[in-house]
Amino acid sequence: MDTIEQFQHYVIGTYARTPLVITRGQGSRVWDDKGRCYLDFVQGIATNIIGHCHPAWVKAVSEQAATLVHTSNIYYTENQGRLAQRLVEKAGPGKMFFCNSGAEANEGMLKLARLHGQSLSGGKEGVRSNIVGAQMAFHGRTFGTMAATPQEKIQKGFRPMLDGFSFGEFNNLASFEKLIDDSTAAVIVEAIQGESGITPATIEFMQGLRKLCTERGALLLADEIQCGYGRTGKFFACEHYGIKPDAISMAKGIAGGFPMGAFWVAEPYCELFHAGSHGTTFGGTPLACAAALAVLDVMEEEKLMDNAARMGALLADGLKDLVAKNPDKLDCVRGRGLHLAVASKYNIALIDALRSNGLLAVAGGNGAVRLLPALNVTQDEVFQAIDIFGRTLSSAKLG
Ligand SMILES: Cc1ncc(COP(=O)(O)O)c(C=O)c1O
């Protein structure tokens, strides 16, 4: 039985998988089981931010694997302390909680919202427990995060959803203004909606939300799982908007492909959690934190946020040029830094054709062909990707 047959027989079919068996990766390239090389602009869906198998990451993870992998959170471990300090230095006064995925990080923020609401209601539960989110958002697949994700394709089959969520129109401040009241504990938002096709929030929207939350006593929770961690050219996407959220979730890039999630909570709200109020067996293991520390080191040493801004601008320019030359096939380019999408009514066929020509891209909502390369992608690799994109548009039958 080959690998694809094994999956068909033994792996639950929750993914419409691409018929490609990837066996090896290095930097911005991967190889399939037939030895064919691809330029990887998916990178585990925005996850391997220092590329595949970066030597510094491999060294850190191998050494840590040979030293101490896991202890649980009933003990102190050095790497978690170091990582927490470095992330708090980036996010601002507050504290970190480490978990294992993006959905878990958002779950933690939703629980924070409940604790906040309770503290505003003199300790009474359920009075101020509502959460306002945005239409078209994606926050995860657990029951809490699914309830925060108002999309039929995500919620279908799993109702009833958790109570207490309402949704405003993304980038329409007036629609949020109507929803945020004295029953609202928090607002959760992505500064750039990722899964729904890379749609950036406007400055007015994000600044307006910050102001509304402050005025009405609700927490502003930023889901930076996809748009954060340097991908847009700044460490947090919210920095482009000149606002400080009260909590920020992170995952994807944080440990360079090793499963990890985290959330930061600003002072004084970080003190709402106490011993026993939240937890996870695996969160912040010495191994995951070693991977994450290596990612931060590489990001700093190789100035990867600058590279993301520069390479992102080059890639966006090349793609805009292709949009101008192919108005029948492409609609527009969206995004910031290396968080980019080209919109096309043929996005699925286009992604298949790009793969046949050696470039991996991933679909998103709103007709998106998402390009989410590693932050250390080179100029040559960006030009190669644009070249493959251009050749694919000229040769592929998309309609
Ligand atoms: C913005 C955002 N939030 C949350 C998640 C969920 O993360 P995970 O798949 O690690 O649970 C994702 C994953 O795509 C995401 O893009």
Side-chain angles (χ1 to χ4, degrees):
M1 217 183 267
D2 67 18
T3 301
I4 292 182
E5 284 166 346
Q6 281 174 331
F7 270 67
Q8 283 160 354
H9 282 88
Y10 303 120
V11 177
I12 293 176
T14 55
Y15 298 96
R17 287 177 202 266
T18 301
L20 178 66
V21 180
I22 297 178
T23 55
R24 188 163 69 85
Q26 189 63 58
S28 284
R29 293 183 194 277
V30 288
W31 285 262
D32 70 11
D33 55 350
K34 296 173 187 73
R36 181 159 185 220
C37 179
Y38 299 81
L39 200 49
D40 186 2
F41 275 36
V42 177
Q43 288 287 5
I45 318 186
T47 293
N48 312 321
I49 56 174
I50 57 171
H52 293 276
C53 303
H54 190 291
W57 187 96
V58 172
K59 184 169 182 286
V61 170
S62 313
E63 285 178 3
Q64 191 60 49
T67 308
L68 184 69
V69 169
H70 176 55
T71 61
S72 89
N73 280 299
I74 62 175
Y75 304 107
Y76 294 94
T77 49
E78 293 169 336
N79 285 351
Q80 190 177 138
R82 283 188 198 114
L83 180 62
Q85 182 175 355
R86 283 177 76 173
L87 289 174
V88 167
E89 281 164 9
K90 291 189 183 297
K95 289 184 179 171
M96 299 295 305
F97 181 91
F98 294 101
C99 50
N100 311 288
S101 68
E104 265 183 86
N106 283 338
E107 281 290 337
M109 293 204 303
L110 298 176
K111 286 177 76 172
L112 169 76
R114 288 281 172 97
L115 292 177
H116 173 64
Q118 194 187 339
S119 89
L120 290 184
S121 321
K124 263 183 106 180
E125 284 185 88
V127 178
R128 189 162 185 162
S129 56
N130 289 346
I131 292 172
V132 178
Q135 283 157 16
M136 303 303 293
F138 181 80
H139 297 299
R141 304 281 193 156
T142 57
F143 266 98
T145 58
M146 195 166 50
T149 299
Q151 296 189 43
E152 183 60 18
K153 67 176 184 198
I154 305 289
Q155 297 186 350
K156 192 171 185 287
F158 301 109
R159 297 190 175 97
M161 288 292 119
L162 202 64
D163 260 357
F165 286 84
S166 54
F167 301 96
E169 191 188 339
F170 188 62
N171 276 338
N172 177 346
L173 193 61
S175 76
F176 275 76
E177 194 159 9
K178 286 193 201 117
L179 296 172
I180 304 170
D181 58 22
D182 56 12
S183 72
T184 309
V187 172
I188 184 165
V189 71
E190 297 161 84
I192 304 173
Q193 289 192 330
E195 289 303 297
S196 62
I198 310 202
T199 314
T202 61
I203 295 260
E204 301 72 46
F205 179 65
M206 290 301 281
Q207 293 190 347
L209 275 187
R210 175 65 280 180
K211 193 159 170 278
L212 272 177
C213 286
T214 306
E215 284 168 4
R216 299 187 185 178
L219 296 184
L220 181 62
L221 313 176
D223 177 343
E224 294 240 0
I225 286 162
Q226 187 164 148
C227 60
Y229 236 83
R231 179 157 293 282
T232 61
K234 292 198 186 286
F235 197 80
F236 293 113
C238 280
E239 292 172 40
H240 292 288
Y241 296 86
I243 60 152
K244 266 263 180 259
D246 301 305
I248 304 175
S249 58
M250 301 155 228
K252 289 201 181 277
I254 186 170
F258 197 91
M260 189 178 215
F263 60 96
W264 165 86
V265 183
E267 280 174 358
Y269 309 111
C270 52
E271 305 305 335
L272 287 166
F273 284 107
H274 56 81
S277 60
H278 194 43
T280 162
T281 300
F282 283 117
T285 64
L287 189 57
C289 292
L293 287 165
V295 167
L296 287 178
D297 288 344
V298 170
M299 279 176 82
E300 280 164 24
E301 278 157 25
E302 299 182 13
K303 300 192 172 41
L304 293 190
M305 284 192 277
D306 292 348
N307 196 60
R310 276 187 299 112
M311 292 306 119
L314 268 187
L315 184 55
D317 282 351
L319 295 171
K320 281 178 191 156
D321 197 38
L322 293 175
V323 171
K325 288 179 182 143
N326 298 274
D328 50 329
K329 292 177 182 154
L330 304 179
D331 296 332
C332 63
V333 177
R334 296 192 290 257
R336 185 165 215 156
L338 288 171
H339 194 220
L340 288 173
V342 186
S344 166
K345 55 180 173 287
Y346 306 115
N347 66 329
I348 303 297
L350 188 51
I351 287 167
D352 283 343
L354 289 170
R355 188 177 67 257
S356 304
N357 290 330
L359 173 65
L360 302 185
V362 57
N366 237 331
V369 176
R370 279 183 294 167
L371 297 160
L372 307 164
L375 309 191
N376 58 357
V377 70
T378 64
Q379 185 167 306
D380 275 358
E381 288 159 347
V382 167
F383 287 148
Q384 277 169 36
I386 296 167
D387 179 55
I388 295 175
F389 218 114
R391 281 192 282 115
T392 303
L393 287 166
S394 330
S395 60
K397 284 201 184 62
L398 298 175

